[in-house]
Amino acid sequence: YATGQFGNAAVFDGSSSYVLASSFMPTGSNPRSASAWVKTTISNANMTILFSGSGSNNNAFIFRVINGKLGVAFYANDHDFTATGLTDGNWHHVVATYDGSVAKVYLDGNLIGTGSAGAVSTNSGNFAIGAYNNGVDALFNGSIDQVRIFNDSLTSDEVTQLYNNEIACS
């Protein structure tokens, strides 16, 4: 651990460190959102922020940094959005939302992209922070702080409140 955006943050080395737990994110077309504060200088790699589901894109929610872009994948619908400044070594707030059919991605309180997204049919498998599936690949290189999971699709106002730290962690 190291100093984070708020208190301490988990530090990931890009080769062997990640957090693995039982999956607990909503499934199917149920709304969901995930947010985190991330800090990295790596711009030419595929790194996972959060992963939930099985090892197949057809059955997973994947929130990632890929070649300097911020991306989200739901049931084989991959969307990667230009995220200017994301890999500058400063803390950035990242959010992915899903309302049952559309995924939205936010960087530092600003919407940077939307895309269609299919339902994740199961949540069997893993929930990982900093790694794809169970640490197989796409390990994060940098720090991750304040990971939050919601069983609702956050509104843009709620994303702004999170970015401004107006919603207490619970």
Side-chain angles (χ1 to χ4, degrees):
Y1 294 97
T3 301
Q5 177 68 9
F6 303 97
N8 288 329
V11 177
F12 300 90
D13 63 12
S15 63
S16 63
S17 54
Y18 58 94
V19 175
L20 184 63
S22 297
S23 191
F24 55 84
M25 287 191 75
T27 60
S29 59
N30 293 312
R32 71 203 72 161
S33 299
S35 74
W37 284 88
V38 298
K39 180 179 177 180
T40 186
T41 58
I42 307 302
S43 61
N44 60 349
N46 180 3
M47 302 183 296
T48 305
I49 300 167
L50 299 171
F51 171 91
S52 180
S54 72
S56 163
N57 279 7
N58 292 339
N59 228 5
F61 160 76
I62 308 163
F63 194 23
R64 64 184 177 221
V65 176
I66 185 164
N67 295 323
K69 294 183 176 184
L70 191 56
V72 64
F74 282 91
Y75 193 70
N77 295 106
D78 292 347
H79 303 288
D80 299 315
F81 305 104
T82 300
T84 305
L86 180 63
T87 59
D88 63 5
N90 295 313
W91 284 106
H92 294 283
H93 188 242
V94 296
V95 178
T97 68
Y98 172 67
D99 67 4
S101 62
V102 175
K104 295 181 180 179
V105 175
Y106 297 81
L107 175 65
D108 294 332
N110 299 304
L111 178 66
I112 63 168
T114 63
S116 63
V120 176
S121 62
T122 182
N123 234 1
S124 63
N126 300 311
F127 176 81
I129 299 171
Y132 178 82
N133 200 9
N134 60 356
V136 174
D137 62 22
L139 278 77
F140 196 82
N141 190 336
S143 300
I144 300 175
D145 196 7
Q146 294 288 309
V147 173
R148 298 177 184 185
I149 306 299
F150 301 88
N151 62 356
D152 196 6
S153 180
L154 297 176
T155 66
S156 61
D157 286 343
E158 290 170 325
V159 170
T160 299
Q161 289 174 350
L162 277 175
Y163 175 66
N164 292 322
N165 197 32
E166 295 172 10
I167 297 177
C169 224
S170 60

